[in-house]
Amino acid sequence: MPNPSLLILAGDGIGPEVMAETRRVIDWFGARRGLAFDVTEGLVGGAAIDAHGTPLADATMAAAQAADAVLLGAVGGPKWDNLPFDQKPERGLLRLRKEMDLFANLRPAVCFAALAGASTLKPEVIGGLDIVIVRELTSGIYFGSPRGIVTEGGQRVGINTQRYTEGEIARVARAAFALARQRSGRVCSMEKANVMESGVLWREVVQAVHDAEFADVALSHMYADAGAMQLVRAPKQFDVIVTDNLFGDLLSDLAAMLTGSIGMLPSASLGAPAAGGRPKALYEPVHGSAPDIAGKGIANPLAAILSFGMALRYSFGQGAEADRLDRAVERVLAGGIRTGDLLQLPGRKPVGTKAMGDAVLAGLEADLAAG
Ligand code: NAD
Protein backbone atom coordinates (compact mmCIF):
# COMPACT_ATOMS: atom_id res chain seq x y z
CA MET A 1 0.00 0.00 0.00
CA PRO A 2 1.41 3.45 -0.86
CA ASN A 3 1.57 5.98 1.95
CA PRO A 4 -1.38 8.36 2.12
CA SER A 5 -0.57 11.72 0.55
CA LEU A 6 -0.69 15.12 2.20
CA LEU A 7 -0.37 18.42 0.37
CA ILE A 8 0.81 21.28 2.58
CA LEU A 9 -0.09 24.78 1.42
CA ALA A 10 1.46 27.00 4.09
CA GLY A 11 0.41 30.31 2.53
CA ASP A 12 1.26 33.71 3.97
CA GLY A 13 2.12 35.52 7.19
CA ILE A 14 2.23 33.11 10.12
CA GLY A 15 1.06 30.27 7.83
CA PRO A 16 4.59 28.99 7.10
CA GLU A 17 5.58 29.41 10.77
CA VAL A 18 2.73 27.30 12.16
CA MET A 19 2.96 24.76 9.33
CA ALA A 20 6.66 24.20 10.03
CA GLU A 21 5.74 22.99 13.53
CA THR A 22 2.86 20.94 12.12
CA ARG A 23 5.31 19.29 9.73
CA ARG A 24 7.44 18.20 12.70
CA VAL A 25 4.35 16.64 14.29
CA ILE A 26 3.49 14.84 11.03
CA ASP A 27 7.06 13.51 10.89
CA TRP A 28 6.81 12.36 14.52
CA PHE A 29 3.83 10.15 13.67
CA GLY A 30 5.84 8.73 10.78
CA ALA A 31 8.91 8.00 12.88
CA ARG A 32 7.24 6.92 16.12
CA ARG A 33 3.85 5.49 15.12
CA GLY A 34 4.54 4.01 11.69
CA LEU A 35 2.13 6.48 10.10
CA ALA A 36 4.18 7.71 7.17
CA PHE A 37 2.70 10.24 4.78
CA ASP A 38 3.94 11.29 1.36
CA VAL A 39 4.12 15.02 1.99
CA THR A 40 4.40 17.58 -0.79
CA GLU A 41 4.28 21.33 -0.48
CA GLY A 42 2.83 24.04 -2.70
CA LEU A 43 2.03 27.73 -2.80
CA VAL A 44 -1.29 29.43 -2.15
CA GLY A 45 -2.43 33.00 -1.57
CA GLY A 46 0.00 35.88 -1.69
CA ALA A 47 2.98 33.55 -1.93
CA ALA A 48 1.50 32.04 -5.10
CA ILE A 49 0.69 35.49 -6.51
CA ASP A 50 4.33 36.52 -6.04
CA ALA A 51 5.65 33.33 -7.64
CA HIS A 52 3.05 32.58 -10.33
CA GLY A 53 0.89 35.69 -10.65
CA THR A 54 -2.17 33.81 -9.43
CA PRO A 55 -3.36 32.87 -5.90
CA LEU A 56 -3.60 29.20 -6.88
CA ALA A 57 -1.80 27.77 -9.92
CA ASP A 58 -3.64 25.11 -11.92
CA ALA A 59 -0.92 22.58 -11.10
CA THR A 60 -1.44 23.21 -7.37
CA MET A 61 -5.20 22.83 -7.81
CA ALA A 62 -4.63 19.51 -9.55
CA ALA A 63 -2.27 18.40 -6.75
CA ALA A 64 -4.96 19.28 -4.18
CA GLN A 65 -7.54 17.21 -6.07
CA ALA A 66 -5.16 14.26 -6.16
CA ALA A 67 -4.02 14.45 -2.52
CA ASP A 68 -5.66 12.37 0.20
CA ALA A 69 -5.84 15.53 2.31
CA VAL A 70 -4.74 19.16 2.06
CA LEU A 71 -3.34 21.06 5.05
CA LEU A 72 -3.51 24.82 4.66
CA GLY A 73 -1.87 27.50 6.82
CA ALA A 74 -3.38 30.91 6.12
CA VAL A 75 -3.58 33.35 3.24
CA GLY A 76 -3.56 37.12 2.88
CA GLY A 77 -1.73 40.17 4.10
CA PRO A 78 -1.33 43.90 3.58
CA LYS A 79 1.01 43.41 0.61
CA TRP A 80 -1.89 42.11 -1.49
CA ASP A 81 -4.76 44.11 0.04
CA ASN A 82 -5.10 46.50 -2.88
CA LEU A 83 -5.40 43.88 -5.60
CA PRO A 84 -8.76 43.62 -7.38
CA PHE A 85 -11.20 41.34 -5.55
CA ASP A 86 -10.87 38.49 -8.06
CA GLN A 87 -7.06 38.42 -7.75
CA LYS A 88 -6.74 38.53 -3.97
CA PRO A 89 -4.97 35.78 -1.98
CA GLU A 90 -8.33 34.62 -0.55
CA ARG A 91 -9.40 33.59 -4.06
CA GLY A 92 -6.94 30.73 -3.84
CA LEU A 93 -8.70 29.34 -0.81
CA LEU A 94 -12.13 29.90 -2.33
CA ARG A 95 -11.05 28.06 -5.48
CA LEU A 96 -9.89 25.08 -3.42
CA ARG A 97 -13.19 24.96 -1.54
CA LYS A 98 -15.26 25.34 -4.69
CA GLU A 99 -13.45 22.93 -7.01
CA MET A 100 -13.05 20.28 -4.31
CA ASP A 101 -16.76 20.84 -3.51
CA LEU A 102 -16.11 21.01 0.23
CA PHE A 103 -19.67 21.36 1.44
CA ALA A 104 -19.29 20.37 5.10
CA ASN A 105 -17.26 22.63 7.36
CA LEU A 106 -16.45 21.04 10.72
CA ARG A 107 -15.59 23.45 13.49
CA PRO A 108 -14.90 21.77 16.83
CA ALA A 109 -15.30 23.77 20.01
CA VAL A 110 -13.20 21.97 22.58
CA CYS A 111 -12.27 23.40 25.94
CA PHE A 112 -8.94 22.07 27.15
CA ALA A 113 -9.17 21.81 30.93
CA ALA A 114 -6.09 23.96 31.47
CA LEU A 115 -7.69 26.80 29.49
CA ALA A 116 -11.15 26.73 31.11
CA GLY A 117 -10.24 29.89 33.03
CA ALA A 118 -9.61 31.77 29.77
CA SER A 119 -13.24 31.56 28.67
CA THR A 120 -15.71 34.36 29.25
CA LEU A 121 -18.04 31.67 30.64
CA LYS A 122 -17.75 30.11 34.08
CA PRO A 123 -15.36 27.14 34.21
CA GLU A 124 -18.15 24.77 35.27
CA VAL A 125 -20.19 25.75 32.19
CA ILE A 126 -17.30 25.42 29.76
CA GLY A 127 -14.89 22.88 31.31
CA GLY A 128 -14.76 19.65 29.30
CA LEU A 129 -16.74 21.13 26.39
CA ASP A 130 -16.34 19.02 23.24
CA ILE A 131 -18.80 19.80 20.46
CA VAL A 132 -18.59 20.11 16.67
CA ILE A 133 -20.54 22.50 14.49
CA VAL A 134 -21.11 21.24 10.96
CA ARG A 135 -21.78 24.23 8.73
CA GLU A 136 -23.02 23.89 5.13
CA LEU A 137 -20.33 25.72 3.19
CA THR A 138 -21.15 25.88 -0.52
CA SER A 139 -24.76 27.03 -0.78
CA GLY A 140 -27.38 29.11 1.02
CA ILE A 141 -27.65 32.87 1.22
CA TYR A 142 -23.99 33.57 0.39
CA PHE A 143 -24.46 32.00 -3.04
CA GLY A 144 -28.18 32.20 -3.90
CA SER A 145 -29.57 34.41 -6.65
CA PRO A 146 -31.05 36.89 -7.26
CA ARG A 147 -28.51 38.96 -5.40
CA GLY A 148 -27.22 42.49 -5.72
CA ILE A 149 -28.13 46.09 -5.06
CA VAL A 150 -30.89 47.38 -7.33
CA THR A 151 -32.93 50.56 -7.45
CA GLU A 152 -36.66 50.22 -6.89
CA GLY A 153 -39.09 53.11 -6.49
CA GLY A 154 -36.29 55.63 -6.22
CA GLN A 155 -34.29 53.88 -3.51
CA ARG A 156 -31.65 51.21 -3.46
CA VAL A 157 -32.52 47.69 -2.33
CA GLY A 158 -29.96 45.09 -1.18
CA ILE A 159 -30.93 41.55 -2.12
CA ASN A 160 -29.61 38.12 -1.15
CA THR A 161 -31.43 34.86 -1.51
CA GLN A 162 -31.46 31.90 0.81
CA ARG A 163 -31.77 28.84 -1.43
CA TYR A 164 -31.21 25.17 -0.63
CA THR A 165 -31.97 22.08 -2.70
CA GLU A 166 -32.97 18.85 -1.01
CA GLY A 167 -29.72 17.30 -2.19
CA GLU A 168 -27.61 20.03 -0.63
CA ILE A 169 -29.39 19.61 2.70
CA ALA A 170 -29.26 15.82 2.59
CA ARG A 171 -25.52 15.58 1.96
CA VAL A 172 -24.52 17.86 4.81
CA ALA A 173 -27.01 16.07 7.08
CA ARG A 174 -25.33 12.76 6.18
CA ALA A 175 -21.93 14.23 7.04
CA ALA A 176 -23.25 15.32 10.45
CA PHE A 177 -24.91 11.98 11.21
CA ALA A 178 -21.80 10.04 10.18
CA LEU A 179 -19.72 12.28 12.44
CA ALA A 180 -22.12 11.77 15.34
CA ARG A 181 -21.73 8.00 14.97
CA GLN A 182 -17.99 8.45 15.67
CA ARG A 183 -18.83 10.56 18.73
CA SER A 184 -21.65 10.38 21.25
CA GLY A 185 -24.36 9.84 18.66
CA ARG A 186 -26.38 13.04 18.95
CA VAL A 187 -27.19 15.65 16.29
CA CYS A 188 -29.06 18.90 16.81
CA SER A 189 -30.17 20.54 13.55
CA MET A 190 -30.66 24.31 13.62
CA GLU A 191 -32.66 26.51 11.22
CA LYS A 192 -35.49 29.04 11.35
CA ALA A 193 -38.39 26.87 10.25
CA ASN A 194 -40.72 29.21 12.14
CA VAL A 195 -40.11 32.07 9.67
CA MET A 196 -38.26 30.68 6.61
CA GLU A 197 -39.49 28.18 4.01
CA SER A 198 -35.90 27.10 3.44
CA GLY A 199 -35.87 26.25 7.15
CA VAL A 200 -39.06 24.18 6.79
CA LEU A 201 -37.44 22.19 3.98
CA TRP A 202 -34.19 21.91 5.93
CA ARG A 203 -36.00 20.38 8.90
CA GLU A 204 -38.01 17.97 6.73
CA VAL A 205 -35.00 16.72 4.78
CA VAL A 206 -32.75 16.31 7.83
CA GLN A 207 -35.52 14.32 9.54
CA ALA A 208 -36.07 12.17 6.42
CA VAL A 209 -32.35 11.38 6.04
CA HIS A 210 -32.26 10.49 9.71
CA ASP A 211 -35.28 8.21 9.59
CA ALA A 212 -34.10 6.41 6.43
CA GLU A 213 -30.38 6.04 7.12
CA PHE A 214 -29.37 7.10 10.64
CA ALA A 215 -32.18 6.07 12.97
CA ASP A 216 -29.54 5.00 15.54
CA VAL A 217 -28.44 8.64 15.96
CA ALA A 218 -30.48 10.84 18.32
CA LEU A 219 -31.79 13.84 16.35
CA SER A 220 -33.27 17.03 17.75
CA HIS A 221 -34.24 20.30 16.05
CA MET A 222 -33.84 23.82 17.37
CA TYR A 223 -34.45 27.31 15.98
CA ALA A 224 -31.06 28.88 15.34
CA ASP A 225 -31.70 31.89 17.58
CA ALA A 226 -32.63 29.59 20.47
CA GLY A 227 -29.52 27.58 19.60
CA ALA A 228 -27.36 30.67 20.03
CA MET A 229 -28.83 31.23 23.48
CA GLN A 230 -28.37 27.59 24.46
CA LEU A 231 -24.75 27.61 23.27
CA VAL A 232 -24.00 30.36 25.75
CA ARG A 233 -26.26 29.06 28.54
CA ALA A 234 -25.36 25.36 28.52
CA PRO A 235 -23.07 24.42 25.62
CA LYS A 236 -22.34 20.92 26.91
CA GLN A 237 -25.91 19.79 26.08
CA PHE A 238 -24.76 19.51 22.43
CA ASP A 239 -22.60 17.00 20.59
CA VAL A 240 -22.90 17.66 16.82
CA ILE A 241 -24.79 20.70 15.55
CA VAL A 242 -25.67 20.84 11.83
CA THR A 243 -26.82 24.07 10.29
CA ASP A 244 -26.79 26.16 7.14
CA ASN A 245 -24.10 28.46 5.81
CA LEU A 246 -25.26 31.73 7.38
CA PHE A 247 -26.30 30.39 10.78
CA GLY A 248 -23.22 28.16 10.83
CA ASP A 249 -20.97 31.14 10.18
CA LEU A 250 -22.36 32.88 13.25
CA LEU A 251 -22.84 29.91 15.56
CA SER A 252 -19.41 28.39 14.90
CA ASP A 253 -17.66 31.67 15.70
CA LEU A 254 -19.75 32.02 18.83
CA ALA A 255 -19.06 28.47 19.98
CA ALA A 256 -15.37 28.62 19.16
CA MET A 257 -14.77 31.82 21.03
CA LEU A 258 -16.28 30.32 24.17
CA THR A 259 -13.19 28.20 24.41
CA GLY A 260 -10.43 30.83 24.35
CA SER A 261 -7.91 31.95 21.74
CA ILE A 262 -8.25 31.86 17.98
CA GLY A 263 -4.77 30.34 18.04
CA MET A 264 -6.31 27.09 19.35
CA LEU A 265 -9.03 26.51 16.76
CA PRO A 266 -8.72 23.88 14.02
CA SER A 267 -11.21 23.18 11.23
CA ALA A 268 -11.95 20.68 8.51
CA SER A 269 -13.82 21.14 5.25
CA LEU A 270 -15.04 17.89 3.74
CA GLY A 271 -16.55 16.94 0.41
CA ALA A 272 -18.28 13.87 -0.88
CA PRO A 273 -16.73 10.51 0.00
CA ALA A 274 -14.75 9.13 -2.96
CA ALA A 275 -14.82 5.50 -4.08
CA GLY A 276 -12.48 4.43 -1.27
CA GLY A 277 -14.73 6.11 1.31
CA ARG A 278 -12.29 8.94 2.03
CA PRO A 279 -13.82 12.39 1.50
CA LYS A 280 -12.12 15.25 -0.30
CA ALA A 281 -10.69 17.19 2.61
CA LEU A 282 -8.96 20.42 3.52
CA TYR A 283 -7.78 21.07 7.06
CA GLU A 284 -6.82 24.53 8.29
CA PRO A 285 -6.63 26.64 11.40
CA VAL A 286 -9.52 29.06 11.81
CA HIS A 287 -7.16 32.01 12.22
CA GLY A 288 -5.78 34.10 9.38
CA SER A 289 -2.24 35.09 8.47
CA ALA A 290 -1.90 37.45 11.48
CA PRO A 291 0.31 40.06 9.76
CA ASP A 292 0.71 41.88 13.07
CA ILE A 293 2.82 39.04 14.49
CA ALA A 294 4.14 37.39 11.30
CA GLY A 295 7.89 36.82 11.26
CA LYS A 296 8.25 37.24 15.01
CA GLY A 297 8.21 33.55 15.85
CA ILE A 298 5.48 33.99 18.45
CA ALA A 299 2.39 32.58 16.68
CA ASN A 300 0.54 29.76 18.38
CA PRO A 301 0.94 26.66 16.17
CA LEU A 302 -1.65 24.59 18.06
CA ALA A 303 -4.60 25.39 15.76
CA ALA A 304 -2.57 24.14 12.77
CA ILE A 305 -1.28 21.11 14.68
CA LEU A 306 -4.80 20.24 15.85
CA SER A 307 -5.99 20.60 12.25
CA PHE A 308 -3.59 17.77 11.37
CA GLY A 309 -5.20 15.87 14.27
CA MET A 310 -8.55 16.30 12.53
CA ALA A 311 -6.98 14.89 9.35
CA LEU A 312 -5.81 11.85 11.31
CA ARG A 313 -9.36 11.39 12.59
CA TYR A 314 -11.50 12.20 9.56
CA SER A 315 -9.31 11.36 6.55
CA PHE A 316 -7.10 8.56 7.79
CA GLY A 317 -9.22 6.63 10.30
CA GLN A 318 -6.65 7.20 13.05
CA GLY A 319 -8.94 8.34 15.85
CA ALA A 320 -6.74 6.81 18.55
CA GLU A 321 -3.69 8.70 17.27
CA ALA A 322 -5.74 11.91 17.04
CA ASP A 323 -6.72 11.33 20.69
CA ARG A 324 -3.03 10.93 21.47
CA LEU A 325 -2.29 14.31 19.89
CA ASP A 326 -5.14 15.92 21.85
CA ARG A 327 -3.75 14.43 25.07
CA ALA A 328 -0.27 15.73 24.22
CA VAL A 329 -1.66 19.25 23.76
CA GLU A 330 -3.61 18.94 27.01
CA ARG A 331 -0.39 17.86 28.73
CA VAL A 332 1.52 20.86 27.33
CA LEU A 333 -1.15 23.30 28.50
CA ALA A 334 -1.45 21.64 31.89
CA GLY A 335 2.31 22.09 32.25
CA GLY A 336 1.80 25.84 32.02
CA ILE A 337 3.36 26.21 28.57
CA ARG A 338 1.59 28.96 26.66
CA THR A 339 2.16 31.13 23.62
CA GLY A 340 1.45 34.83 24.08
CA ASP A 341 -2.13 34.68 22.80
CA LEU A 342 -3.19 32.39 25.66
CA LEU A 343 -3.92 33.46 29.21
CA GLN A 344 -0.60 33.39 31.03
CA LEU A 345 0.01 31.77 34.37
CA PRO A 346 1.51 34.03 37.02
CA GLY A 347 5.31 33.89 36.98
CA ARG A 348 5.49 32.11 33.60
CA LYS A 349 6.81 33.67 30.41
CA PRO A 350 5.13 32.92 27.06
CA VAL A 351 7.01 30.62 24.68
CA GLY A 352 7.49 31.09 20.92
CA THR A 353 6.18 29.05 18.01
CA LYS A 354 9.10 26.65 17.83
CA ALA A 355 9.22 26.08 21.59
CA MET A 356 5.51 25.23 21.49
CA GLY A 357 6.28 22.74 18.70
CA ASP A 358 9.06 21.27 20.86
CA ALA A 359 6.64 21.00 23.77
CA VAL A 360 4.04 19.14 21.68
CA LEU A 361 6.69 16.65 20.52
CA ALA A 362 7.78 16.15 24.13
CA GLY A 363 4.11 15.75 25.08
CA LEU A 364 3.69 13.07 22.42
CA GLU A 365 6.77 11.23 23.72
CA ALA A 366 5.44 11.48 27.28
CA ASP A 367 2.06 10.16 26.19
CA LEU A 368 3.72 7.23 24.47
CA ALA A 369 5.81 6.50 27.54
CA ALA A 370 2.69 6.64 29.74
CA GLY A 371 1.25 3.83 27.56
P1 NAD B 1 -6.18 36.86 11.97
O1 NAD B 1 -6.83 35.60 12.41
O2 NAD B 1 -5.05 36.73 11.04
O3 NAD B 1 -5.69 37.67 13.26
C1 NAD B 1 -6.61 38.15 14.26
C2 NAD B 1 -5.83 38.40 15.55
O4 NAD B 1 -5.53 37.14 16.17
C3 NAD B 1 -4.48 39.10 15.35
O5 NAD B 1 -4.24 39.97 16.42
C4 NAD B 1 -3.49 37.97 15.35
O6 NAD B 1 -2.21 38.35 15.80
C5 NAD B 1 -4.13 36.97 16.31
N1 NAD B 1 -3.80 35.59 15.93
C6 NAD B 1 -4.30 34.90 14.89
N2 NAD B 1 -3.76 33.69 14.83
C7 NAD B 1 -2.91 33.60 15.85
C8 NAD B 1 -2.03 32.57 16.30
N3 NAD B 1 -1.95 31.38 15.69
N4 NAD B 1 -1.27 32.82 17.38
C9 NAD B 1 -1.34 33.99 18.01
N5 NAD B 1 -2.16 35.00 17.65
C10 NAD B 1 -2.93 34.80 16.56
O7 NAD B 1 -7.33 37.75 11.30
P2 NAD B 1 -7.24 39.19 10.61
O8 NAD B 1 -6.23 40.05 11.31
O9 NAD B 1 -8.64 39.64 10.50
O10 NAD B 1 -6.71 38.90 9.13
C11 NAD B 1 -5.35 38.97 8.75
C12 NAD B 1 -5.20 38.46 7.34
O11 NAD B 1 -5.57 37.08 7.30
C13 NAD B 1 -6.10 39.16 6.32
O12 NAD B 1 -5.39 39.29 5.12
C14 NAD B 1 -7.25 38.22 6.18
O13 NAD B 1 -7.87 38.34 4.93
C15 NAD B 1 -6.56 36.88 6.31
N6 NAD B 1 -7.43 35.78 6.77
C16 NAD B 1 -7.20 34.57 6.22
C17 NAD B 1 -7.90 33.47 6.66
C18 NAD B 1 -7.59 32.13 6.07
O14 NAD B 1 -6.54 31.98 5.45
N7 NAD B 1 -8.43 31.14 6.22
C19 NAD B 1 -8.86 33.59 7.66
C20 NAD B 1 -9.05 34.86 8.24
C21 NAD B 1 -8.32 35.95 7.79
Side-chain angles (χ1 to χ4, degrees), residues 14 74-77 90 93 262-263 284 287-293 299-300 341:
I14 64 169
V75 296
E90 288 75 7
L93 182 51
I262 194 167
E284 56 179 323
H287 62 71
S289 57
D292 52 334
I293 58 167
N300 184 350
D341 56 306

Side-chain angles (χ1 to χ4, degrees), residues 10 12 14 18 72-78 80-81 88-90 93 97 261-265 267 284-294 298-304 339-342 353:
D12 308 317
I14 64 169
V18 298
L72 188 128
V75 296
W80 307 282
D81 273 354
K88 279 185 184 294
E90 288 75 7
L93 182 51
R97 287 180 182 155
S261 168
I262 194 167
M264 294 294 300
L265 303 174
S267 77
E284 56 179 323
V286 166
H287 62 71
S289 57
D292 52 334
I293 58 167
I298 58 172
N300 184 350
L302 290 177
T339 42
D341 56 306
L342 301 174
T353 311

Side-chain angles (χ1 to χ4, degrees), residues 345-349:
L345 300 181
R348 301 289 292 256
K349 283 214 175 74

Side-chain angles (χ1 to χ4, degrees), residues 149-164:
I149 300 175
V150 299
T151 301
E152 278 177 16
Q155 64 174 336
R156 292 187 303 155
V157 182
I159 301 170
N160 291 93
T161 303
Q162 167 86 328
R163 183 178 188 282
Y164 270 108

Side-chain angles (χ1 to χ4, degrees), residues 316-328:
F316 301 117
Q318 297 289 343
E321 297 300 331
D323 289 346
R324 182 187 303 286
L325 183 52
D326 288 347
R327 284 195 304 273

Side-chain angles (χ1 to χ4, degrees), residues 38-310:
D38 287 339
V39 180
T40 51
E41 302 199 15
L43 299 176
V44 68
I49 293 173
D50 289 352
H52 306 303
T54 166
L56 190 75
D58 291 345
T60 315
M61 185 66 241
Q65 293 282 21
D68 289 319
V70 178
L71 296 186
L72 188 128
V75 296
K79 181 175 176 192
W80 307 282
D81 273 354
N82 294 326
L83 288 174
F85 190 65
D86 61 346
Q87 294 167 29
K88 279 185 184 294
E90 288 75 7
R91 301 304 292 183
L93 182 51
L94 294 178
R95 182 177 179 197
L96 283 165
R97 287 180 182 155
K98 182 160 186 286
E99 294 194 18
M100 292 168 76
D101 200 11
L102 304 173
F103 59 82
N105 183 222
L106 276 56
R107 291 269 301 263
V110 173
C111 184
F112 288 94
L115 296 183
S119 172
T120 51
L121 297 190
K122 295 190 183 79
E124 62 270 25
V125 174
I126 199 76
L129 180 74
D130 180 1
I131 66 176
V132 182
I133 300 200
V134 179
R135 163 189 172 192
E136 200 290 325
L137 198 60
T138 52
S139 185
I141 198 161
Y142 294 157
F143 296 92
S145 55
R147 63 184 299 159
I149 300 175
V150 299
T151 301
E152 278 177 16
Q155 64 174 336
R156 292 187 303 155
V157 182
I159 301 170
N160 291 93
T161 303
Q162 167 86 328
R163 183 178 188 282
Y164 270 108
T165 66
E166 289 176 291
E168 288 166 344
I169 301 168
R171 65 182 188 172
V172 75
R174 282 192 189 95
F177 288 130
L179 177 63
R181 273 189 179 151
Q182 295 181 44
R183 297 171 49 89
S184 72
R186 289 179 296 125
V187 170
C188 180
S189 171
M190 295 188 186
E191 27 54 19
K192 289 281 288 175
N194 48 344
V195 287
M196 296 170 76
E197 286 77 6
S198 59
V200 172
L201 185 70
W202 182 281
R203 188 175 285 220
E204 277 178 26
V205 171
V206 170
Q207 187 68 51
V209 169
H210 170 269
D211 296 351
E213 302 169 39
F214 296 93
D216 54 305
V217 175
L219 171 64
S220 58
H221 301 275
M222 202 177 271
Y223 298 138
D225 51 341
M229 285 197 276
Q230 291 300 326
L231 272 170
V232 177
R233 192 186 72 82
K236 283 187 266 185
Q237 70 185 282
F238 299 110
D239 179 28
V240 175
I241 292 171
V242 62
T243 188
D244 73 15
N245 203 343
L246 173 63
F247 298 139
D249 196 359
L250 306 180
L251 293 172
S252 62
D253 270 17
L254 183 157
M257 275 294 106
L258 298 177
T259 67
S261 168
I262 194 167
M264 294 294 300
L265 303 174
S267 77
S269 299
L270 306 180
R278 186 176 285 156
K280 288 259 158 97
L282 181 140
Y283 299 88
E284 56 179 323
V286 166
H287 62 71
S289 57
D292 52 334
I293 58 167
K296 296 184 179 164
I298 58 172
N300 184 350
L302 290 177
I305 290 171
L306 292 169
S307 298
F308 170 63
M310 291 188 81

